[in-house]
Amino acid sequence: MSSKLLGALAAASLICCRCARGIPFPGTIFERESDLSPMYGYVVVGGGVSGLVVANRLSEDPKTTVLVIEAGRMKSNTHAGHLSPASTTAIPGLNNRTAGVAAARLLGGGSAINGMAFDRGSPGDYDLWGEINGDDSWSWAGLPYFKKSETFTPPTVEQQVEYGITFYMDVHGTSGPIQSSYPPFIPTTGKAFIAALRRLRIPVQVDGTANAIGGFWNPNSLDPVLRERSCARTTYHELASNRANYHILTESLVTRLSHDLSGVEYIPGYNPDQTVVAPNATTRQVQARREIIMAASALHTPKILQLSGIGSSSVLDRLGINQIINLPGVGENFQDHPAQYLAVVVTNISDPTQHPAYLDQNKTYDAEMGVLYEETRTGPWTVSTDNTFAFLTADHHNVSYGSFVEAAQQPAAKYLRPGIDSTIINGFEEIKMASLSLQKPLSRGSVRAASTDPYRMPLVDYRTFSNPLDLQIMVQSVRFNTDILPQTDAFKEIGAFVQTPETGLSDIQLGGVIRASADPSFSHPSGTCAMLKLEDGGCVDKRLRLYGSYGRVRVVDASIFPVIQSSHLQSTVYAVAEKAADLIRRRF
Ligand SMILES: Cc1cc2nc3c(=O)[nH]c(=O)nc-3n(C[C@H](O)[C@H](O)[C@H](O)COP(=O)(O)OP(=O)(O)OC[C@H]3O[C@@H](n4cnc5c(N)ncnc54)[C@H](O)[C@@H]3O)c2cc1C
Ligand SMILES: *[C@@H]1O[C@H](CO)[C@@H](O)[C@H](O)[C@H]1NC(C)=O
Ligand SMILES: *[C@@H]1O[C@H](CO)[C@@H](O)[C@H](O)[C@H]1NC(C)=O
Ligand SMILES: *[C@@H]1O[C@H](CO)[C@@H](O)[C@H](O)[C@H]1NC(C)=O
Ligand SMILES: *[C@@H]1O[C@H](CO)[C@@H](O)[C@H](O)[C@H]1NC(C)=O
Ligand SMILES: *[C@@H]1O[C@H](CO)[C@@H](O)[C@H](O)[C@H]1NC(C)=O
């Protein structure tokens, strides 16, 4: 994450907005695989954010047919059933700790369970994508798809006055499926955070959507009328669900692509409680006349490709899988935002209900607010995550110019996985030279199928802080929260300070705390089937076609991000998938 701040007061009020109670599905959802057609125009693997966007847009054409196969349920009332329990391999940069990885497993994917922060990276994030692919259509100016996916409702006039929330209407979408808005309840701590940033002369943007550098107020993926989560299932899926050419099969696990890439194999009736395939499990096939669309997320797409014989010889040989396409980039270039959580105490707020953690502390109040939410759709239960963020640059952290020089001079292979394919080293060299903004980790991990058993979760190898410069920047970023923000008048006035990590630690001490307690993941896995030139270790071309697949396979999920952006991921996944649909439909 480098200089990403997790909102100084990120003691996270709990996720309350539930994915809307959906309207019953009229009949194109299949509980039984025997109801399916044997062949579709397109088969979409994974009904998460990217998969549902692409399936919706492709099914706008009544002359084609679309099937989405989703491992998870339509919906579920228990949080646990929504997640795949992947866990990482030991991470040397984090004292050999392992960690759990949250991956969505239900229709709607991450958008049905995530923190609902709805922000974009800054223009430079996407300009870098355009630059390294030699294609301006992937740069900021070339991505009108952010707007296409969004309908923005501005904060109320009272919120603008009370909190100082500002916005530019013209950077937002006004007729897209995903609703973005501010909750009716905003804790005053957000205001203190923004005031503190101003005091420290950190720029506060009029609208972070236009340029997410410095501090800003930020909306949520929240329906402004229902005050419920606006996710891929309640929008893209429901809008498509009355089309006869849009089919969905849930609770079915895609196990591999068929050898000739004519379709996919899957196991119907997938039971996520089983960790190995039952000996009597039946594998079915469905054909894709035009294309197979991979949308199973940056953790599961590379696994499925590898199980299909698509990947590097070394990974496939170890699993005893015959190689169909030699593609070393599958599963490499893995990126996320490592996160350091802080324990923040706020001691001088006259109204204790303004404290972000108060709901957790007072169960009576929590229950009352639950009733208020059900009856009036107001109060703190409308809140999912912070509405204030700051993404700081090296300047704000006093990171010395020497760090840039050092990063530029590092031999590209020095901190990559030993034995990695030379094309991936080429690609990393190019990205490193172009993206030295220090808003992004330089460390790279990998994701690999753990076994030929499709029920086994992939091996997730984060390699957090394998590049030592990442830890140096993380130290500065954490110190900003522990030592600098609490010294501002705005924080002193509300009596806010960070309990852990302690203030006044040396670089080495703070680095030690981070190694011992940071989380390798902010639930933002990406990059594992990157859109890069083949000679740069790429996996898909700039039209998102899998190299070597003769146009049979497209990848549309967060795997294709060549470099992670400095923001949460969902709005970028929506935009990329909107663009992917136009590429597939040859609209440009
Ligand atoms: C806990 C959590 C909190 C987050 N918070 C935020 C936030 O506040 N703001 C934000 O912008 N982003 C957030 N994110 C990230 C964001 O939700 C993801 O980046 C986004 O959902 C990724 O989209 P995707 O299409 O790549 O994959 P997903 O949305 O994960 O969809 C992949 C789908 O494929 C299915 N699948 C996987 N394997 C198979 C298989 N073999 N066969 C069939 N189906 C399969 C999965 O069940 C899943 O439904 C969060 C993510 C998580 C997990
Ligand atoms: C992590 O494990 C490796 C290999 O077992 C070992 O060499 C190293 O010393 C360990 N690091 C820590 C911090 O324990
Ligand atoms: C497989 O066997 C288990 C018991 O061993 C049984 O519960 C299950 O229904 C069987 N599944 C199929 C598809 O026959
Ligand atoms: C908890 O909330 C209830 C209901 O709002 C309130 O009456 C009570 O005083 C609160 N308890 C504490 C310890 O503040
Ligand atoms: C950067 O340096 C200035 C001047 O020494 C200091 O006032 C400021 O607090 C520093 N900021 C950070 C983030 O370290
Ligand atoms: C605590 O808050 C009150 C009311 O906002 C304010 O008057 C007082 O100055 C604050 N205390 C400190 C130590 O800043």
Side-chain angles (χ1 to χ4, degrees), residues 529-579:
C529 190
M531 174 178 64
L532 285 170
K533 293 171 191 151
L534 185 59
E535 63 269 28
D536 289 340
C539 193
V540 296
D541 67 13
K542 53 199 184 186
R543 299 186 72 86
L544 305 182
R545 293 172 297 204
L546 187 79
Y547 288 118
S549 74
Y550 300 98
R552 295 286 311 153
V553 182
R554 201 93 58 156
V555 182
V556 300
D557 59 27
S559 312
I560 71 101
F561 295 10
V563 191
I564 196 167
Q565 80 275 14
S566 300
S567 75
H568 299 74
L569 298 199
Q570 66 173 342
S571 86
T572 303
V573 179
Y574 282 115
V576 165
E578 285 279 13
K579 177 169 171 133

Side-chain angles (χ1 to χ4, degrees), residues 358 362 364-365 368:
Y358 188 68
N362 185 335
T364 317
Y365 177 73
E368 279 175 13

Side-chain angles (χ1 to χ4, degrees), residues 8-32:
L9 299 163
S13 20
L14 278 189
I15 299 175
C16 304
C17 301
R18 273 75 46 90
C19 208
R21 294 160 293 191
I23 302 141
F25 197 73
T28 43
I29 262 232
F30 291 110
E31 307 290 340
R32 294 177 309 140

Side-chain angles (χ1 to χ4, degrees), residues 81-207:
H82 295 161
L83 299 170
S84 316
S87 104
T88 70
T89 56
I91 305 167
L94 298 180
N95 297 346
N96 290 337
R97 287 185 291 126
T98 62
V101 185
R105 186 176 49 211
L106 82 164
L107 197 66
S111 68
I113 56 163
N114 68 21
M116 296 166 63
F118 198 76
D119 56 338
R120 301 176 196 166
S122 61
D125 282 314
Y126 308 101
D127 290 349
L128 175 61
W129 290 15
E131 190 183 320
I132 57 188
N133 281 286
D135 180 349
D136 283 346
S137 80
W138 282 102
S139 64
W140 173 257
L143 278 173
Y145 295 99
F146 281 111
K147 289 189 185 179
K148 188 174 184 187
S149 59
E150 179 191 21
T151 294
F152 174 67
T153 302
T156 62
V157 173
E158 294 76 52
Q159 287 178 326
Q160 294 174 42
V161 173
E162 169 65 21
Y163 299 98
I165 307 177
T166 51
F167 57 93
Y168 293 126
M169 207 56 216
D170 65 346
V171 294
H172 290 280
T174 50
S175 57
I178 297 296
Q179 299 289 333
S180 72
S181 68
Y182 284 87
F185 180 94
I186 296 176
T188 53
T189 46
K191 207 167 136 179
F193 180 58
I194 295 290
L197 294 175
R198 286 191 200 280
R199 188 59 192 239
L200 294 167
R201 293 184 211 292
I202 287 168
V204 173
Q205 301 291 344
V206 173
D207 191 331

